[in-house]
């Protein structure tokens, strides 16, 4: 494969990632550049191209790291507490096991509160391991202090506490050495290096690119400028890929972490106009204020390039909420996939016997951050009439739908293979329904009918969702249908919680089975 960054012209897509096979493909050696080619290719070449969903999954690793730490410390605590309670933990006295509990809670609380799961850029492994060891020793000291107060003369307890402290120190050191190694590999591959695009081929953009080239901790993928007639083909080697409006549909958008407005902040009307236009995208938009000197430029780039792992603190933290949602999808999705596998096997056999063609229908749809994903469904239409782009939406008594297709569409059983999309992380159990790329309402592409359409891509698409249980299900035949569904999807994105998801899943089956008006 040729260098990924060399293929980004004004309307070219980034190289296709190997989603189905595992990690994104690594790019090969860069080809020899000509002067014209250099202007198109740009100097920033990520070793791997990861879309926003894949990069966000790497940032959420902090929650997985902490889960392993909790399991390790809890297991060692129960093991050593059982050592001083021959009759079993159930019959042990509180004074026997309380020191171990206090030590474990102290250790885990300090690891979290001191930010030992952030793994910020530039942090040394030795410093991190030393701080983890210090936390383990503080936990052991807390346990020893309580033991000294409760039962100072119990020699067996002191042997167990020393054993617990040593094992705890060794286990946490080994685990965090592993975590540091994983994070270092992600940083080396570029998985944690932020990707940005600039709006405005200005001197502000030129200064930022110049400094970013020196630091190499920030990828500037391209520039968009509305003054294409006057703008250069490239700024410091970074290509100008189109006008700001092209960002709304550009193939690069799923790979962008942040959009930076590199225009004069004193042009307030222009700033407001661009912010309003780009706010329809799921990407974060930032205004670059002209730095006053090298120190402020460094601070600005530090804020843009900062890519620590997700902070596990705070009840309102979106990363924490995303982790809980992913755990919900994995656990419930796997249970559903196993439990419903006999039903899926029967449906597959019925489809095979009913009409010629494949059992499954695959369709490219928009996922998180407008990523293109392949969604799996049971085939419900005749093979020769399959409509991959949903250019013609289903109507009542549609002649394209097979006999089995009518039943599985009416009961939404055709959606069951999407459990595979949920388990692999491309979809969620609950979220805005993914629409086919290029889906039309009438003769107009649905995405062009509502300015806030892309807001529904700020969260993973779901097998069911708030819109589906509120009557917005199936084809969208009018602009008003599109507006209502988008508004319901945005309501869900803003209100999403574990309890809301559980309620939506609980009412999905009775609501969909009782919805006789929906045409699918």
């Amino acid at each position: 494969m040729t260098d990924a960054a060399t293929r980004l012209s004004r309307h070219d897509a980034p190289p296709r990632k190997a989603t189905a096979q595992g990690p994104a493909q690594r790019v090969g050696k860069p080809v020899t550049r000509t002067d014209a080619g250099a202007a198109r290719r740009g100097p920033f070449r990520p070793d791997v191209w990861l879309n926003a969903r894949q990069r966000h999954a790497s940032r959420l690793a902090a929650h997985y790291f902490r889960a392993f730490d909790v399991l390790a410390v809890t297991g060692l605590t129960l093991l050593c507490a059982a050592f001083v309670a021959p009759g079993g933990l159930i019959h042990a006295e509180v004074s026997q096991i309380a020191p171990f509990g206090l030590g474990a809670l102290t250790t885990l609380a300090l690891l979290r509160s001191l930010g030992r799961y952030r793994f910020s850029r530039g942090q040394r492994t030795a410093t991190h391991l030393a701080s983890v060891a210090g936390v383990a020793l503080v936990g052991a000291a807390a346990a020893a202090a309580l033991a000294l107060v409760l039962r100072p003369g119990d020699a067996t307890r002191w042997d167990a506490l020393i054993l617990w402290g040593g094992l705890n120190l060794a286990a946490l050191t080994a685990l965090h050495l592993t975590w540091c190694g994983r994070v270092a590999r992600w940083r080396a591959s570029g998985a944690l290096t932020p990707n940005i695009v600039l709006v405005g081929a200005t001197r502000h953009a030129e200064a930022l690119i110049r400094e970013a080239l020196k630091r190499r901790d920030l990828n500037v993928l391209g520039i968009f400028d509305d003054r294409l007639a006057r703008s250069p083909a490239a700024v410091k080697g970074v290509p100008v890929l189109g006008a700001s409006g092209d960002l709304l549909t550009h193939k690069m958008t799923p790979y962008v972490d942040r959009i930076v407005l590199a225009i004069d902040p004193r042009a307030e009307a222009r700033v407001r106009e661009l912010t309003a236009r780009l706010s329809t995208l799921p990407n974060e938009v930032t205004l670059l204020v002209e730095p006053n000197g090298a120190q402020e430029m460094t601070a600005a780039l530090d804020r843009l390039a900062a890519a620590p792992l997700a902070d596990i603190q705070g009840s309102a933290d979106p990363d924490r909420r995303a982790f809980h949602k992913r755990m919900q999808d994995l656990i419930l999705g796997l249970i559903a996939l196993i439990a419903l596998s006999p039903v899926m096997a029967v449906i597959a056999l019925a489809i095979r016997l009913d009409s010629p063609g494949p059992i499954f229908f695959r369709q490219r749809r928009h996922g998180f951050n407008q990523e293109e994903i392949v969604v799996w469904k049971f085939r419900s239409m005749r093979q020769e009439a399959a409509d991959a782009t949903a250019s013609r939406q289903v109507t009542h008594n549609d002649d394209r739908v097979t006999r089995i297709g009518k039943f599985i569409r009416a009961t939404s059983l055709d959606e069951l293979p999407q459990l595979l999309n949920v388990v692999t992380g491309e979809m969620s159990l609950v979220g805005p329904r993914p629409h086919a790329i290029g889906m039309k309402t009438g003769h107009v592409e649905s995405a062009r009918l509502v300015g806030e359409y892309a807001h529904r891509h700020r969260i993973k698409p779901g097998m069911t969702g708030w819109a589906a249980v509120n009557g917005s299900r199936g084809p969208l035949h009018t602009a008003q249908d599109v507006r209502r569904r988008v508004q319901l999807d945005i309501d869900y994105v803003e209100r999403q919680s574990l309890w809301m998801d559980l309620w939506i899943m609980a009412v999905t089956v009775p609501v969909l089975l009782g919805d006789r008006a929906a045409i699918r």
Side-chain angles (χ1 to χ4, degrees):
M1 179 182 291
T2 55
D3 191 331
T6 67
R7 297 299 182 189
L8 294 174
S9 65
R10 288 179 183 253
H11 299 289
D12 288 340
R16 189 72 61 197
K17 57 197 178 301
T19 304
Q21 291 83 15
Q25 297 177 6
R26 298 187 69 86
V27 298
K29 295 181 179 179
V31 297
T32 303
R33 298 190 294 170
T34 62
D35 291 341
R40 292 182 58 208
R41 293 195 288 256
F44 296 95
R45 301 185 181 87
D47 288 337
V48 292
W49 280 87
L50 300 178
N51 58 49
R53 174 181 57 82
Q54 294 168 318
R55 294 159 65 79
H56 191 240
S58 297
R59 292 188 63 243
L60 291 183
H63 294 274
Y64 295 97
F65 295 166
R66 183 167 184 260
F68 276 104
D69 285 359
V70 170
L71 290 174
V73 172
T74 302
L76 291 174
T77 300
L78 294 175
L79 179 66
C80 293
F83 179 72
V84 298
L89 292 176
I90 297 178
H91 303 289
E93 297 179 12
V94 173
S95 62
Q96 290 180 308
I97 61 175
F100 296 99
L102 177 64
L105 290 174
T106 301
T107 300
L108 295 174
L110 286 176
L111 286 173
R112 175 178 173 178
S113 62
L114 295 178
R116 294 304 84 198
Y117 299 102
R118 291 287 285 168
F119 298 93
S120 300
R121 185 182 299 275
Q123 177 180 265
R124 295 175 178 270
T125 299
T127 302
H128 179 85
L129 294 180
S131 65
V132 170
V135 167
L137 292 176
V138 170
L146 185 59
L148 187 63
V149 172
L150 296 178
R151 302 181 67 154
D154 192 338
T156 304
R157 172 176 303 282
W158 288 106
D159 291 340
L161 281 173
I162 293 173
L163 175 64
W164 175 82
L167 291 175
N168 207 35
L169 175 61
L172 288 175
T173 300
L175 285 171
H176 279 256
L177 182 60
T178 303
W179 309 154
C180 288
R182 290 293 299 273
V183 173
R185 286 193 292 274
W186 288 334
R187 291 202 188 282
S189 70
L192 294 177
T193 302
N195 291 333
I196 70 170
V197 295
L198 303 178
V199 175
T202 64
R203 58 187 179 85
H204 306 294
E206 182 178 353
L208 185 148
I209 293 169
R210 186 187 305 113
E211 292 302 316
L213 282 169
K214 296 177 184 177
R215 297 163 53 111
R216 287 293 177 180
D217 57 359
L218 191 70
N219 290 325
V220 187
L221 301 183
I223 300 172
F224 293 82
D225 194 303
D226 291 332
R227 307 166 303 170
L228 288 178
R230 292 182 293 164
S231 64
V235 177
K236 291 294 181 181
V238 177
V240 177
L241 302 176
S244 61
D246 293 331
L247 262 172
L248 303 177
T249 56
H250 203 281
K251 296 294 185 180
M252 183 189 287
T253 303
Y255 298 84
V256 175
D257 296 304
R258 190 183 299 245
I259 300 169
V260 178
L261 303 184
I263 60 178
D264 191 341
R266 291 172 295 183
E268 297 180 4
R270 179 64 174 151
V271 170
R272 285 196 299 270
E273 176 194 350
L274 281 172
T275 302
R277 185 190 307 172
L278 298 176
S279 65
T280 61
L281 286 168
N283 314 79
E284 184 175 350
V285 180
T286 298
L287 174 63
L288 177 66
V289 178
E290 183 177 10
N292 183 17
Q295 186 174 358
E296 288 191 10
M297 171 62 80
T298 300
L301 286 175
D302 284 342
R303 288 192 294 271
L304 289 175
L309 298 194
D311 192 352
I312 62 174
Q313 302 184 64
S315 57
D317 179 25
D319 287 321
R320 183 185 181 89
R321 185 173 65 173
F323 173 75
H324 290 161
K325 189 171 178 65
R326 180 59 184 148
M327 289 295 97
Q328 167 189 292
D329 290 337
L330 271 178
I331 296 171
L332 298 182
L334 285 172
I335 292 174
L337 189 60
I338 295 171
L340 295 172
S341 56
V343 177
M344 296 172 69
V346 172
I347 295 173
L349 179 61
I351 293 172
R352 176 66 74 184
L353 296 175
D354 181 53
S355 62
I359 293 172
F360 298 105
F361 171 68
R362 294 177 297 174
Q363 189 177 55
R364 301 199 71 82
R365 300 189 179 187
H366 275 135
F368 175 70
N369 202 41
Q370 300 190 159
E371 171 195 5
E372 290 188 11
I373 62 175
V374 176
V375 172
W376 290 74
K377 298 178 66 175
F378 282 123
R379 181 176 59 85
S380 59
M381 293 186 179
R382 292 180 286 106
Q383 181 183 7
E384 65 274 13
D387 185 4
T389 61
S391 57
R392 173 189 166 190
Q393 300 203 41
V394 178
T395 57
H396 186 65
N397 291 326
D398 198 307
D399 59 357
R400 299 172 296 169
V401 181
T402 64
R403 290 175 298 173
I404 293 297
K406 291 179 181 178
F407 172 73
I408 62 176
R409 290 177 73 91
T411 56
S412 292
L413 291 174
D414 60 326
E415 312 282 359
L416 289 182
Q418 291 169 29
L419 287 169
L420 296 172
N421 293 105
V422 172
V423 172
T424 57
E426 294 174 321
M427 289 179 59
S428 181
L429 290 171
V430 181
R433 287 293 298 150
H435 292 168
I437 297 173
M439 183 184 76
K440 292 184 178 179
T441 299
H443 299 290
V444 182
E445 189 173 340
S446 301
R448 299 183 181 277
L449 293 175
V450 180
E452 294 80 13
Y453 187 90
H455 282 205
R456 62 198 308 276
H457 300 141
R458 292 182 174 179
I459 199 168
K460 289 181 185 178
M463 292 184 64
T464 184
W466 185 239
V469 299
N470 280 279
S472 182
R473 170 175 175 251
L476 301 169
H477 296 295
T478 67
Q480 183 59 35
D481 291 340
V482 179
R483 292 189 187 95
R484 181 169 184 268
R485 181 170 299 181
V486 169
Q487 186 56 57
L488 288 167
D489 288 337
I490 293 174
D491 288 346
Y492 171 76
V493 171
E494 294 175 349
R495 296 171 53 194
Q496 188 273 327
S497 68
L498 172 64
W499 300 112
M500 186 178 186
D501 283 358
L502 293 177
W503 186 85
I504 290 173
M505 285 187 276
V507 302
T508 289
V509 173
V511 166
L512 297 190
L513 291 181
D515 184 7
R516 301 301 180 188
I519 300 172
R520 292 195 70 252

